């Protein structure tokens, strides 16, 4: 599978470059610090790229299963990735973006982490899980430990959205 870089000018969309790198479906692409971006895929990888006119490949972060979501923590050179499959345990990995090494891993309590992950205003991370009894998991953004499980009446599916609004 490939990524496609587009230029958006007013209402015109122009293909800049087709970027080959993944062999299966790409789930998410995010902008990173230091002029980079990352893509995650069904092929059990996160790929890191230069965000310039050449879109050079930088590194691959290998996972044990499909990678559904990625997130760079604010003001940190840390990438968070969630992976898992229908019949496998889920994992949340924390990667150092300076040297692309794995810093920490949380072994999942269920399978099939969904693609909904976000950093909260207090620096903690919210991640929705498709399977009960832990639909939303809160992870401490400093220690990378699970600090809370929030159980909802319905599961958040892959087609749903997770959004948190700060109360002012």
């Amino acid at each position: 599978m490939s990524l496609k870089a587009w230029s958006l000018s007013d209402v015109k969309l122009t293909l800049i470059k087709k970027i080959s790198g993944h062999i299966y479906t790409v789930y998410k692409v995010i902008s990173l610090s230091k002029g980079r971006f990352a893509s995650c895929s069904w092929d059990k990888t996160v790929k890191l790229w230069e965000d310039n006119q050449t879109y050079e490949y930088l590194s691959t972060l290998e996972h044990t299963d499909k990678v559904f979501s990625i997130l760079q923590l604010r003001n940190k050179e840390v990438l968070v990735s969630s992976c898992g499959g229908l019949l496998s345990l889920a994992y949340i990995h924390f990667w150092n973006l300076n040297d692309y090494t794995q810093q920490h891993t949380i072994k999942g309590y269920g399978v099939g982490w969904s693609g909904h992950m976000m950093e909260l205003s207090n620096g903690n991370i919210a991640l929705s899980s498709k399977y009960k009894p832990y639909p939303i998991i809160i992870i401490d953004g400093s220690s990378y430990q699970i600090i809370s499980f929030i159980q909802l009446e319905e599961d958040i599916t892959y087609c749903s959205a997770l959004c948190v609004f700060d109360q002012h």
Side-chain angles (χ1 to χ4, degrees):
M1 288 297 187
S2 61
L3 309 173
K4 293 183 180 177
W6 298 85
S7 173
L8 179 62
S9 172
D10 295 322
V11 294
K12 184 179 180 186
L13 195 60
T14 306
L15 179 64
I16 298 170
K17 184 175 183 177
K18 182 177 176 179
I19 307 162
S20 297
H22 291 285
I23 57 173
Y24 294 116
T25 304
V26 174
Y27 283 111
K28 194 169 195 176
V29 178
I30 63 168
S31 179
L32 299 174
S33 60
K34 299 182 180 177
R36 300 169 293 180
F37 67 94
S39 55
C40 65
S41 171
W42 182 277
D43 66 12
K44 304 178 184 180
T45 66
V46 171
K47 304 274 185 177
L48 303 166
W49 312 87
E50 244 345 289
D51 189 5
N52 58 20
Q53 294 299 316
T54 60
Y55 303 103
E56 296 172 48
Y57 163 82
L58 296 172
S59 188
T60 298
L61 308 178
E62 299 285 343
H63 290 70
T64 57
D65 213 322
K66 298 171 276 300
V67 186
F68 292 109
S69 190
I70 48 179
L71 167 75
Q72 181 177 358
L73 299 181
R74 282 188 301 270
N75 304 317
K76 293 183 181 179
E77 288 298 305
V78 175
L79 179 80
V80 185
S81 60
S82 68
C83 72
L86 186 59
L87 300 175
S88 63
L89 285 174
Y91 294 89
I92 303 167
H93 299 287
F94 298 83
W95 304 87
N96 181 325
L97 285 173
N98 290 316
D99 60 10
Y100 309 128
T101 58
Q102 194 172 326
Q103 292 182 315
H104 186 74
T105 297
I106 298 173
K107 191 173 183 178
Y109 286 81
V111 295
W113 300 106
S114 81
H116 310 294
M117 180 169 39
M118 61 185 303
E119 186 173 9
L120 305 174
S121 61
N122 63 3
N124 291 338
I125 301 154
L127 175 69
S128 65
S129 176
K130 183 170 172 27
Y131 298 96
K132 290 183 180 181
Y134 309 120
I136 298 179
I137 298 158
I138 306 297
I139 301 167
D140 182 280
S142 297
S143 68
Y144 308 138
Q145 300 297 317
I146 294 176
I147 57 175
S148 180
F149 300 99
I150 302 170
Q151 194 166 352
L152 302 177
E153 292 177 19
E154 296 179 6
D155 289 340
I156 295 177
T157 67
Y158 294 106
C159 298
S160 301
L162 174 65
C163 183
V164 176
F165 296 96
D166 287 328
Q167 298 294 318
H168 296 285

